[in-house]
Amino acid sequence: MRYPKDHKDARRRELLAASAGHAKAHGFAASGMDALAAAAGVTVGSLYKHFSGKDALFAELVRSELQRSAELFDGLPAGDTQALLKLLSGYMSLRHVASPQAGCPLPGLSAEVARAPQEVRAAFQAGLQRLHEAIAQRVGGDAGLAWALIAQSVGAVLLARALPDEAAQRALLAGVRATTAGLLPAPAPATVEAPAADPTRPTRPTRRGG
């Protein structure tokens, strides 16, 4: 049976997505290649056909996941503060806290990347810078604000996941969301154009005094 030309690339993306979900939920270092392969529904041998080893898989996983995160921000119109705040609020939500396998890799995998080989850390740096650029473009090119938004959002989710009490999680997330809203520039006021003059209506003559 002959497969389409892009079959291998599509299959590789599927393996990355499934492996990433398992790693974000259970940790990459703690997951052996057998567990990652099982999560993807393939044998270990099949996984090695696409990736030369565990470090190569980790690097590609990090690269793919951070690219996906950046693309979420790419879809927002530049300067649309409300759309940006909505996306960040969804990030700092109980749903994201409770579903690491479906969310951003930064809260769960950053600490592991810090101990990973250079190949993985280089992929992480490139992906994080790409994400930073996407956010900076949405806040008028303010690089410092973009870093602050990333650090606040990731830190809020990371800390909330460590809390055993849902009420405490809610309070933490709500506090950081409110602070984030205060950091964002105020949306530009809507401009109201004066109605155009109707050329068919006669204008009143100007009355002269005296």
Side-chain angles (χ1 to χ4, degrees):
M1 178 179 178
R2 299 184 64 181
Y3 291 104
K5 291 182 179 179
D6 61 348
H7 173 77
K8 185 175 182 180
D9 290 340
R11 185 58 177 146
R12 182 185 176 89
R13 289 192 295 268
E14 292 173 1
L15 295 176
L16 280 172
S19 300
H22 184 89
K24 288 184 291 186
H26 304 285
F28 189 84
S31 302
M33 288 293 276
D34 54 344
L36 294 169
V42 298
T43 64
V44 174
S46 295
L47 205 56
Y48 274 114
K49 288 181 180 179
H50 293 271
F51 308 99
S52 59
K54 193 174 181 182
D55 290 341
L57 172 58
F58 197 11
E60 285 298 318
L61 183 156
V62 165
R63 186 177 294 111
S64 174
E65 287 291 302
L66 289 175
Q67 174 66 22
R68 186 169 66 90
S69 294
E71 288 171 355
L72 291 176
F73 290 93
D74 286 340
L76 300 180
D80 191 338
T81 302
Q82 293 304 314
L84 177 59
L85 182 59
K86 183 178 180 180
L87 182 55
L88 291 172
S89 295
Y91 186 101
M92 293 180 282
S93 66
L94 280 178
R95 182 176 181 179
H96 187 199
V97 169
S99 307
Q101 73 282 358
C104 174
L106 292 174
L109 297 179
S110 294
E112 293 195 51
V113 170
R115 300 186 294 268
Q118 178 63 23
E119 175 187 10
V120 178
R121 296 176 68 188
F124 179 87
Q125 178 171 308
L128 183 59
Q129 288 175 334
R130 166 76 175 85
L131 174 61
H132 172 259
E133 290 169 4
I135 296 175
Q137 289 174 6
R138 267 80 216 156
V139 291
D142 190 331
L145 177 56
W147 282 127
L149 293 174
I150 292 172
Q152 281 197 167
S153 302
V154 173
V157 173
L158 187 154
L159 291 175
R161 284 178 180 166
L163 296 174
D165 181 64
E166 184 176 308
Q169 292 177 330
R170 288 182 182 276
L172 186 156
L173 295 171
V176 180
R177 285 197 301 266
T179 301
T180 298
L183 289 176
L184 294 177
T191 57
V192 180
E193 294 184 2
D198 186 349
T200 65
R201 294 184 61 184
T203 58
R204 292 185 177 182
T206 302
R207 296 184 63 182
R208 297 175 180 270

